Amino acid sequence: MLKNLLDKTLDLLFPEKCRGCGLSDAALCDDCRRQLRPPEIFCFACGRESDTGICAACARAYGISPIKVFWAARYANQAVKTLIRDLKYKSATKVAETLSQIFCDNVGYGLKNLKSENAIIVPVPITLQRLRERGFNQSKILAAALSRHTGITLAPDIILKIKNTASQVAVAERALRLENLQGSFAVPHPQKIAGKTAILVDDILTTGATVIECSRELKKAGTKNIIALVVAH
């Protein structure tokens, strides 16, 4: 109750503004959201044409086949970039609902019929140390919002990050990022994911190292299929 009262007070003092046009009292107004067309999907690893976000050759090479990777927008879009940064660095957790709606608008086709396929939504984890520093996991907030939009079960503790690593922002190359993340993730209860479809949710895809490393652990645990959803690439 106290949090709701605080939120309402903050809304009155600092009303929401559209990150696209700055005119609306929404995080992203309907007009600006409609301008976010579904982006072109290609293999994020090699750049070749692929309607699943990663070609079969790259998926096999990284040991994560079968997998599909979808992004709802390009990070070059200023409104999307601002929404993600506000969520991640300014604790503007309300924008998660807007970002999850962009998911549904632009990559909803990747979620069709999954409720009947024993699917669960799995957020990319952060370490306990990072959670204490930031106060929240932005991927978990996104995943919870997506679960509300789709009705697909949220399973936030399927995969854990067990090792603190250097920030990925400071590491540019995919090979170095993968090395940085090696041994960082674990699936403590494989029986909870074995034979199921995991919808892995994160905010940004850059080199794809986090998606690759998480997917490897999920595959080791017996996950049947993996669909990685990110807001932007």
Side-chain angles (χ1 to χ4, degrees):
M1 182 180 294
L2 184 59
K3 185 180 183 303
N4 289 338
L5 181 60
L6 179 60
D7 286 343
K8 289 178 180 178
T9 303
L10 290 174
D11 286 343
L12 288 172
L13 294 174
F14 307 102
E16 195 81 81
K17 292 292 183 183
C18 173
R19 270 63 167 190
C21 64
L23 300 177
S24 170
D25 60 354
L28 192 69
C29 71
D30 290 342
D31 287 341
C32 288
R33 204 180 83 219
R34 279 192 289 267
Q35 292 176 30
L36 289 176
R37 307 294 184 195
E40 178 187 4
I41 302 295
F42 49 87
C43 178
F44 73 81
C46 69
R48 285 187 293 232
E49 184 177 342
S50 172
D51 60 1
T52 58
I54 183 169
C55 67
C58 287
R60 285 195 299 270
Y62 287 115
I64 55 176
S65 183
I67 184 174
K68 296 178 181 178
V69 184
F70 298 110
W71 46 92
R74 295 310 305 269
Y75 194 62
N77 183 285
Q78 190 57 49
V80 172
K81 184 183 293 186
T82 302
L83 283 166
I84 292 172
R85 287 179 174 177
D86 284 355
L87 171 64
K88 197 167 187 173
Y89 300 116
K90 295 184 179 180
S91 304
T93 55
K94 288 183 179 179
V95 305
E97 294 294 337
T98 300
L99 291 171
S100 70
Q101 186 60 59
I102 295 172
F103 267 144
C104 295
D105 289 346
N106 288 358
V107 295
Y109 56 86
L111 301 176
K112 286 182 179 178
N113 305 318
L114 285 181
K115 285 183 71 175
S116 61
E117 290 186 16
N118 208 15
I120 55 176
I121 294 176
V122 179
V124 167
I126 59 177
T127 61
L128 284 175
Q129 178 180 322
R130 184 60 58 84
L131 182 62
R132 292 189 191 103
E133 291 169 356
R134 186 177 292 163
F136 62 92
N137 175 2
Q138 74 279 0
S139 296
K140 183 177 178 180
I141 293 171
L142 282 171
L146 186 64
S147 176
R148 289 191 292 273
H149 274 284
T150 61
I152 299 173
T153 300
L154 174 68
D157 299 319
I158 289 294
I159 185 167
L160 306 177
K161 191 169 186 187
I162 57 174
K163 185 175 79 172
N164 291 313
T165 55
S167 171
Q168 291 289 81
V169 175
V171 186
E173 295 180 17
R174 180 181 296 113
L176 293 177
R177 285 190 172 207
L178 284 168
E179 185 179 340
N180 184 41
L181 289 173
Q182 194 169 18
S184 296
F185 300 102
V187 179
H189 303 290
Q191 70 276 13
K192 293 183 179 180
I193 191 66
K196 296 183 179 180
T197 292
I199 303 171
L200 187 66
V201 174
D202 204 3
D203 54 353
I204 305 173
L205 180 81
T206 46
T207 65
T210 300
V211 165
I212 290 169
E213 202 61 31
C214 284
S215 297
R216 283 175 177 168
E217 292 303 317
L218 289 169
K219 293 300 293 183
K220 286 180 191 175
T223 305
K224 183 179 179 182
N225 297 301
I226 299 171
I227 298 175
L229 294 182
V230 297
V231 176
H233 173 46

